[in-house]
Amino acid sequence: MSGLLLRLAGPLQSWGERSAFTPVRDTAPFPTRSALIGMFAAAEGIGRGEANLDRYRDLRLTVRVDRPGVRLVDYHTVGGGFPKDRTAATSQGSNKGAAVITRRHYLSDAVFVVAVTAADETIRRLADALTRPHWAPYLGRRSCVPDEPFLLRRHVDDPEEELRTRVPLSRTAPPIKDGDGQEAGTIPVDFLWEQPPPAGESEQPVPVDVIDINDVPVSFAQHGRSHTGRRLNRTQLPVPRSLAGPPQTLMQRLIDYAHLEESA
C-alpha cells in the first residue's frame, strides 16, 4: 500500500451532497468521495455511463482541512426572457417555458489536502492520469478550477503520516497566548478519516465526531445517478507549527515540498 497527495484549492469549490437536480444546489463542507472518484474517472477518460466504480472501491481517502472557507450563495437563472423553445429542456424532451432559478452554494477560499491510499499499482495508475488527465479536473463544478500545485506528490509510503507531519499548511500559525492550552510547537487542525483516526501521543483519547454522509457513488449515469452512505470520523490533531507560515511564503513552501519527490 502507498498513496498520493492532492491539494484542493481555488477561489471557489462546491461539493454537492445530492444526486438529483434541486432548486438549492448545496455544498458539503469538505470534498465528497463521489466528487473525488468522479475526478479520478474523468482523468482516466472514463465517461459517466461507462464507469466501473468497483475499480475505486478500495481507495482510502483522508482529508486535512487547511482552510474551511466561507460559504457563498449564487442566485442563478437560466433561460429567462426567451421563447419557450429556447428555454431550459426537460427530461421529457420539451422545454420549461420559463427561467430556471437555482441558488448554488460554494466554498470560497477553502483549501483541503487529500491523502489517497491504495495498492501501489492503483496509485501509479491514478498518478499518471492526474498528471496527464483526459478531462481536466475541477473542484466539484466545472467552473471551479483548481490552483497549482494540484498533485502535490505522486507516491509516498504513508500519505496520512505526511498530512500530519510534513505537508505545508495553507494558513498562518495563530499566536500563542499564555494559558491557552496549546503546545508551543503545534497547532490544531481538523481531519476527516474513513477509518478510526490514530491515537494521540498523550494518554487522553482523541475526541471524535462521527458523521454519516451519503456520498459513495454507485452510478454516474446521467439519468440514473445513485449513492450509498459511509461513516466519517472528524477529529482535531496537532500538527507542527513549522508547517504553517506567512502567506507570501506558501507557494515556495509547496514547491519545495513537491520537489522533494523529484530529488528522492
Side-chain angles (χ1 to χ4, degrees), residues 3-214:
L4 57 81
L5 292 163
L6 293 175
R7 181 174 179 269
L8 308 180
L12 294 175
Q13 308 185 29
S14 189
W15 309 103
E17 294 185 78
R18 300 189 181 99
S19 58
F21 187 92
T22 60
V24 177
R25 307 297 301 274
D26 63 354
T27 177
F30 49 79
T32 61
R33 185 176 179 91
S34 177
L36 291 170
I37 288 177
M39 181 187 296
F40 301 150
E44 292 192 85
I46 301 171
R48 286 185 181 276
E50 10 180 279
N52 175 14
L53 300 182
D54 286 343
R55 68 195 278 123
Y56 305 110
R57 186 184 302 276
D58 295 332
L59 297 183
R60 189 172 74 223
L61 306 175
T62 304
V63 178
R64 190 183 77 183
V65 183
D66 283 22
R67 292 203 303 263
V70 177
R71 190 173 292 266
L72 179 151
V73 180
D74 176 33
Y75 179 82
H76 190 93
T77 65
V78 176
F82 289 100
K84 181 177 179 179
D85 61 355
R86 295 180 61 191
T87 59
T90 69
S91 58
Q92 288 77 35
S94 181
N95 297 84
K96 293 185 179 292
V100 176
I101 298 173
T102 58
R103 287 173 171 82
R104 306 190 178 199
H105 292 220
Y106 299 87
L107 300 177
S108 174
D109 200 34
V111 180
F112 306 96
V113 183
V114 182
V116 183
T117 306
D120 292 351
E121 181 181 348
T122 301
I123 292 301
R124 283 194 294 270
R125 187 189 81 226
L126 292 179
D128 288 344
L130 291 167
T131 303
R132 299 176 180 83
H134 183 89
W135 287 299
Y138 50 83
L139 306 179
R141 291 196 185 129
R142 290 186 181 88
S143 60
C144 301
V145 180
D147 284 349
E148 292 287 353
F150 169 66
L151 178 58
L152 271 181
R153 297 284 288 273
R154 291 174 51 97
H155 179 276
V156 286
D157 292 333
D158 188 342
E160 292 162 0
E161 176 68 13
E162 292 284 314
L163 287 186
R164 297 195 301 272
T165 61
R166 296 184 183 88
V167 181
L169 271 169
S170 299
R171 67 165 73 168
T172 302
I176 299 176
K177 299 178 182 177
D178 293 339
D180 68 358
Q182 285 190 21
E183 298 178 44
T186 64
I187 54 178
V189 175
D190 288 339
F191 286 79
L192 293 149
W193 310 82
E194 291 188 319
Q195 73 290 340
E201 294 182 2
S202 66
E203 296 181 1
Q204 296 296 325
V206 177
V208 176
D209 180 18
V210 178
I211 306 168
D212 290 312
I213 181 170
N214 193 60

